[in-house]
Amino acid sequence: EQVGKRPDLPVPLQVLDGPTSVSHTLRPGDMLYIPRGHVHQAFSSDDLSIHITVAIATFDWTLAATLHRLTQAVLMQDEQSRKSVLPIQNKQQLQQQIDRAMQLLRREISADLVERNLVARTEHHIRLDDPIRKNLMKEYTRLTPASNSGPPSLRSVGPSAARQINLDTVVRAATDAEKESINVDGQSLLYIRSDTRDSILSAVAQLKKTTCSVSELRSLCADLKSNPYVCDLTLLAFAKQAVSLGLIAVVVEDDESHYD
Protein backbone atom coordinates (compact mmCIF):
# COMPACT_ATOMS: atom_id res chain seq x y z
CA GLU A 1 0.00 0.00 0.00
CA GLN A 2 1.56 3.27 -1.15
CA VAL A 3 -0.96 5.69 0.41
CA GLY A 4 0.97 8.33 2.32
CA LYS A 5 4.24 7.46 0.57
CA ARG A 6 3.51 9.20 -2.72
CA PRO A 7 2.48 12.85 -3.24
CA ASP A 8 -0.42 11.79 -5.48
CA LEU A 9 -1.77 9.34 -2.86
CA PRO A 10 -2.16 11.28 0.41
CA VAL A 11 -3.68 9.70 3.49
CA PRO A 12 -7.40 10.67 3.59
CA LEU A 13 -8.12 13.28 6.27
CA GLN A 14 -10.99 11.21 7.69
CA VAL A 15 -8.45 8.47 8.45
CA LEU A 16 -6.08 10.84 10.23
CA ASP A 17 -8.95 12.39 12.20
CA GLY A 18 -10.33 9.00 13.23
CA PRO A 19 -9.63 7.16 16.50
CA THR A 20 -6.39 5.27 17.08
CA SER A 21 -6.91 1.50 16.71
CA VAL A 22 -3.74 0.38 18.50
CA SER A 23 -1.18 2.23 20.59
CA HIS A 24 1.77 0.05 21.58
CA THR A 25 5.12 0.75 23.25
CA LEU A 26 7.95 -1.36 21.87
CA ARG A 27 10.89 -2.32 24.05
CA PRO A 28 14.36 -3.60 23.05
CA GLY A 29 13.93 -6.85 21.14
CA ASP A 30 10.21 -6.37 20.41
CA MET A 31 8.74 -6.74 16.93
CA LEU A 32 5.40 -5.39 15.73
CA TYR A 33 3.63 -6.61 12.59
CA ILE A 34 1.47 -4.03 10.82
CA PRO A 35 -0.85 -5.44 8.12
CA ARG A 36 -0.78 -3.97 4.65
CA GLY A 37 -2.85 -0.81 4.27
CA HIS A 38 -2.89 0.22 7.93
CA VAL A 39 -1.86 3.83 8.43
CA HIS A 40 0.74 4.01 11.18
CA GLN A 41 3.22 6.38 12.77
CA ALA A 42 6.25 5.61 14.94
CA PHE A 43 7.94 8.00 17.35
CA SER A 44 10.33 7.66 20.27
CA SER A 45 9.79 8.56 23.91
CA ASP A 46 12.08 10.99 25.69
CA ASP A 47 15.12 8.85 24.93
CA LEU A 48 16.92 8.38 21.63
CA SER A 49 15.59 5.30 19.85
CA ILE A 50 16.47 3.44 16.67
CA HIS A 51 14.16 0.97 14.96
CA ILE A 52 14.32 -1.02 11.75
CA THR A 53 11.36 -1.35 9.40
CA VAL A 54 11.26 -4.49 7.26
CA ALA A 55 8.73 -4.57 4.42
CA ILE A 56 7.39 -8.01 3.54
CA ALA A 57 6.70 -8.43 -0.16
CA THR A 58 3.01 -9.15 -0.62
CA PHE A 59 0.87 -9.60 -3.68
CA ASP A 60 -1.47 -6.76 -4.65
CA TRP A 61 -5.00 -8.17 -4.47
CA THR A 62 -6.74 -4.89 -5.30
CA LEU A 63 -9.26 -4.53 -8.11
CA ALA A 64 -7.03 -1.89 -9.72
CA ALA A 65 -4.07 -4.28 -9.95
CA THR A 66 -6.25 -7.18 -11.10
CA LEU A 67 -7.90 -5.16 -13.86
CA HIS A 68 -4.51 -3.81 -14.92
CA ARG A 69 -3.23 -7.36 -15.49
CA LEU A 70 -6.40 -8.53 -17.24
CA THR A 71 -6.61 -5.41 -19.43
CA GLN A 72 -3.09 -5.94 -20.71
CA ALA A 73 -3.68 -9.66 -21.24
CA VAL A 74 -6.89 -9.08 -23.24
CA LEU A 75 -5.59 -6.23 -25.39
CA MET A 76 -2.30 -7.98 -26.18
CA GLN A 77 -4.35 -10.77 -27.75
CA ASP A 78 -5.93 -8.23 -30.12
CA GLU A 79 -3.93 -7.42 -33.24
CA GLN A 80 -5.26 -3.88 -33.60
CA SER A 81 -4.44 -3.04 -29.97
CA ARG A 82 -0.84 -4.19 -30.43
CA LYS A 83 -0.19 -1.63 -33.16
CA SER A 84 1.70 1.56 -32.30
CA VAL A 85 -0.43 4.69 -31.98
CA LEU A 86 2.47 6.99 -32.86
CA PRO A 87 2.57 9.35 -34.56
CA ILE A 88 -0.87 10.71 -33.59
CA GLN A 89 -2.19 12.43 -36.67
CA ASN A 90 -5.92 12.04 -36.25
CA LYS A 91 -7.42 12.29 -32.73
CA GLN A 92 -10.84 11.24 -33.96
CA GLN A 93 -9.37 8.01 -35.33
CA LEU A 94 -7.48 7.49 -32.06
CA GLN A 95 -10.72 7.92 -30.09
CA GLN A 96 -12.35 5.29 -32.28
CA GLN A 97 -9.49 2.91 -31.46
CA ILE A 98 -9.96 3.62 -27.74
CA ASP A 99 -13.72 3.06 -27.98
CA ARG A 100 -13.14 -0.24 -29.77
CA ALA A 101 -10.67 -1.33 -27.08
CA MET A 102 -13.12 -0.41 -24.32
CA GLN A 103 -15.87 -2.43 -26.01
CA LEU A 104 -13.50 -5.39 -26.23
CA LEU A 105 -12.66 -5.11 -22.53
CA ARG A 106 -16.33 -4.87 -21.54
CA ARG A 107 -17.04 -8.02 -23.53
CA GLU A 108 -14.07 -10.05 -22.27
CA ILE A 109 -13.61 -8.95 -18.63
CA SER A 110 -16.29 -10.06 -16.18
CA ALA A 111 -16.66 -10.82 -12.48
CA ASP A 112 -16.17 -14.52 -13.28
CA LEU A 113 -12.88 -13.80 -15.06
CA VAL A 114 -11.65 -11.66 -12.15
CA GLU A 115 -12.57 -14.43 -9.70
CA ARG A 116 -10.82 -17.13 -11.76
CA ASN A 117 -7.71 -14.97 -12.05
CA LEU A 118 -7.54 -14.32 -8.30
CA VAL A 119 -8.15 -17.98 -7.44
CA ALA A 120 -5.38 -19.06 -9.83
CA ARG A 121 -2.92 -16.56 -8.37
CA THR A 122 -3.87 -17.54 -4.81
CA GLU A 123 -3.23 -21.20 -5.58
CA HIS A 124 0.08 -20.24 -7.19
CA HIS A 125 1.19 -18.40 -4.05
CA ILE A 126 0.14 -21.32 -1.86
CA ARG A 127 2.28 -23.66 -3.96
CA LEU A 128 5.24 -21.29 -3.61
CA ASP A 129 4.77 -20.98 0.16
CA ASP A 130 4.23 -24.69 0.81
CA PRO A 131 7.95 -25.69 0.81
CA ILE A 132 8.77 -22.78 3.14
CA ARG A 133 5.93 -23.73 5.49
CA LYS A 134 7.08 -27.36 5.56
CA ASN A 135 10.68 -26.38 6.33
CA LEU A 136 9.47 -24.20 9.21
CA MET A 137 7.47 -27.11 10.59
CA LYS A 138 10.52 -29.38 10.38
CA GLU A 139 12.57 -26.90 12.37
CA TYR A 140 9.86 -26.59 15.03
CA THR A 141 9.37 -30.33 15.38
CA ARG A 142 13.10 -30.82 15.87
CA LEU A 143 12.92 -28.90 19.14
CA THR A 144 13.63 -31.01 22.22
CA PRO A 145 10.97 -31.53 24.91
CA ALA A 146 10.90 -29.14 27.85
CA SER A 147 13.60 -29.70 30.43
CA ASN A 148 12.64 -31.60 33.57
CA SER A 149 14.69 -29.27 35.76
CA GLY A 150 13.15 -26.42 37.73
CA PRO A 151 9.75 -25.95 39.35
CA PRO A 152 6.78 -27.38 37.43
CA SER A 153 5.28 -23.91 36.98
CA LEU A 154 8.37 -22.71 35.10
CA ARG A 155 8.28 -25.78 32.86
CA SER A 156 4.56 -25.38 32.16
CA VAL A 157 4.15 -21.67 31.38
CA GLY A 158 6.30 -18.71 30.43
CA PRO A 159 8.75 -17.92 27.59
CA SER A 160 11.09 -20.81 28.46
CA ALA A 161 8.28 -23.36 28.22
CA ALA A 162 6.95 -21.73 25.04
CA ARG A 163 10.29 -22.10 23.26
CA GLN A 164 10.13 -25.89 23.64
CA ILE A 165 6.66 -26.36 22.16
CA ASN A 166 6.09 -28.40 19.03
CA LEU A 167 2.97 -29.90 17.45
CA ASP A 168 3.16 -33.00 19.68
CA THR A 169 3.36 -31.02 22.91
CA VAL A 170 0.38 -31.73 25.18
CA VAL A 171 -1.29 -28.62 26.62
CA ARG A 172 -4.00 -27.90 29.17
CA ALA A 173 -5.68 -24.96 30.87
CA ALA A 174 -3.32 -23.01 33.12
CA THR A 175 -4.02 -22.89 36.85
CA ASP A 176 -4.51 -19.61 38.71
CA ALA A 177 -1.12 -20.10 40.37
CA GLU A 178 0.57 -20.55 36.98
CA LYS A 179 -1.12 -17.46 35.60
CA GLU A 180 0.05 -15.43 38.59
CA SER A 181 3.59 -16.74 38.19
CA ILE A 182 3.94 -15.00 34.83
CA ASN A 183 5.07 -11.40 35.09
CA VAL A 184 3.04 -9.92 32.24
CA ASP A 185 2.97 -6.17 31.79
CA GLY A 186 0.02 -4.24 30.45
CA GLN A 187 1.54 -4.07 26.99
CA SER A 188 1.75 -7.86 26.49
CA LEU A 189 -1.23 -8.98 24.46
CA LEU A 190 -2.35 -12.16 22.76
CA TYR A 191 -2.51 -11.49 19.04
CA ILE A 192 -4.88 -13.66 17.01
CA ARG A 193 -6.13 -13.00 13.49
CA SER A 194 -9.79 -11.97 13.44
CA ASP A 195 -10.69 -14.75 10.98
CA THR A 196 -9.33 -17.44 13.34
CA ARG A 197 -9.92 -15.86 16.77
CA ASP A 198 -13.39 -17.22 17.61
CA SER A 199 -12.55 -20.74 16.44
CA ILE A 200 -9.29 -20.93 18.40
CA LEU A 201 -10.72 -19.48 21.60
CA SER A 202 -13.65 -21.93 21.44
CA ALA A 203 -11.17 -24.80 21.30
CA VAL A 204 -9.09 -23.36 24.14
CA ALA A 205 -12.20 -23.17 26.33
CA GLN A 206 -12.46 -26.95 26.02
CA LEU A 207 -9.00 -27.32 27.59
CA LYS A 208 -10.64 -26.66 30.97
CA LYS A 209 -12.11 -30.15 30.64
CA THR A 210 -9.37 -32.10 28.89
CA THR A 211 -5.81 -32.11 27.55
CA CYS A 212 -4.57 -32.54 23.98
CA SER A 213 -1.56 -31.98 21.78
CA VAL A 214 -1.20 -28.70 19.89
CA SER A 215 -2.05 -30.40 16.59
CA GLU A 216 -5.17 -31.94 18.16
CA LEU A 217 -6.68 -28.56 19.10
CA ARG A 218 -8.70 -28.79 15.89
CA SER A 219 -10.62 -31.78 17.22
CA LEU A 220 -11.96 -29.73 20.14
CA CYS A 221 -14.03 -27.40 18.00
CA ALA A 222 -15.95 -28.06 14.78
CA ASP A 223 -15.46 -24.45 13.63
CA LEU A 224 -11.72 -24.75 14.09
CA LYS A 225 -11.58 -28.00 12.12
CA SER A 226 -13.40 -26.45 9.16
CA ASN A 227 -11.71 -23.03 9.26
CA PRO A 228 -9.60 -22.72 6.05
CA TYR A 229 -7.29 -20.16 7.67
CA VAL A 230 -6.13 -22.50 10.46
CA CYS A 231 -3.09 -24.64 9.67
CA ASP A 232 -0.50 -26.36 11.85
CA LEU A 233 1.69 -23.26 11.82
CA THR A 234 -1.26 -21.14 13.01
CA LEU A 235 -1.91 -23.49 15.94
CA LEU A 236 1.79 -23.64 16.82
CA ALA A 237 2.18 -19.85 16.78
CA PHE A 238 -0.91 -19.45 18.95
CA ALA A 239 0.22 -22.11 21.46
CA LYS A 240 3.63 -20.48 21.85
CA GLN A 241 2.02 -17.10 22.54
CA ALA A 242 -0.56 -18.52 24.95
CA VAL A 243 1.97 -20.57 26.96
CA SER A 244 4.38 -17.63 27.09
CA LEU A 245 1.61 -15.45 28.58
CA GLY A 246 0.36 -18.18 30.93
CA LEU A 247 -3.04 -18.55 29.29
CA ILE A 248 -2.52 -22.28 28.68
CA ALA A 249 0.11 -24.63 30.09
CA VAL A 250 2.35 -27.45 28.94
CA VAL A 251 1.70 -30.86 30.52
CA VAL A 252 4.96 -32.11 32.09
CA GLU A 253 5.79 -35.60 33.36
CA ASP A 254 5.08 -34.96 37.02
CA ASP A 255 2.01 -32.83 36.26
CA GLU A 256 -0.83 -33.33 38.69
CA SER A 257 -4.33 -33.64 37.32
CA HIS A 258 -6.27 -30.38 37.29
CA TYR A 259 -9.54 -31.96 36.28
CA ASP A 260 -12.34 -33.55 38.28
Side-chain angles (χ1 to χ4, degrees), residues 2 18 30 33 50 52 54 59 70 85 95 111 126 138 174 187 189 192-194 205 207 218 235 243 246:
Q2 297 300 310
D30 284 352
Y33 169 70
I50 297 176
I52 299 175
V54 179
F59 186 73
L70 293 176
V85 295
Q95 186 61 54
I126 291 175
K138 286 181 180 179
Q187 298 293 335
L189 302 173
I192 312 177
R193 283 177 49 167
S194 59
L207 289 177
R218 285 193 190 89
L235 294 176
V243 168

Side-chain angles (χ1 to χ4, degrees), residues 11 20 25 31-32 72 79 86 107 145 189 240 255:
V11 178
T20 300
T25 300
M31 178 179 68
L32 178 65
Q72 186 176 38
E79 181 179 356
L86 295 177
R107 185 174 69 247
L189 302 173
K240 284 179 173 289
D255 215 349

Side-chain angles (χ1 to χ4, degrees), residues 22 30 54 78 85 106 124 140 160 163 207 212 216 237 259:
V22 176
D30 284 352
V54 179
D78 177 58
V85 295
R106 290 192 186 97
H124 173 69
Y140 278 127
S160 179
R163 284 194 292 270
L207 289 177
C212 71
E216 293 172 340
Y259 310 100

Side-chain angles (χ1 to χ4, degrees), residues 93-190:
Q93 183 179 2
L94 176 60
Q95 186 61 54
Q96 292 175 351
Q97 290 177 294
I98 295 173
D99 293 342
R100 177 182 174 280
M102 294 300 294
Q103 291 176 0
L104 177 62
L105 293 175
R106 290 192 186 97
R107 185 174 69 247
E108 296 294 331
I109 298 179
S110 63
D112 288 339
L113 180 61
V114 170
E115 181 184 32
R116 291 197 303 271
N117 180 268
L118 289 174
V119 168
R121 297 192 74 86
T122 301
E123 293 175 346
H124 173 69
H125 279 266
I126 291 175
R127 287 194 297 271
L128 292 179
D129 290 343
D130 191 55
I132 300 174
R133 186 187 299 272
K134 288 180 177 178
N135 286 334
L136 282 173
M137 297 309 304
K138 286 181 180 179
E139 291 299 317
Y140 278 127
T141 53
R142 285 173 55 191
L143 292 173
T144 57
S147 170
N148 287 329
S149 61
S153 61
L154 295 181
R155 290 183 275 133
S156 300
V157 295
S160 179
R163 284 194 292 270
Q164 306 300 328
I165 290 179
N166 58 49
L167 287 173
D168 296 323
T169 302
V170 179
V171 293
R172 56 170 172 76
T175 65
D176 291 340
E178 288 169 334
K179 294 176 183 178
E180 293 174 0
S181 70
I182 301 299
N183 183 20
V184 179
D185 58 38
Q187 298 293 335
S188 297
L189 302 173
L190 179 65

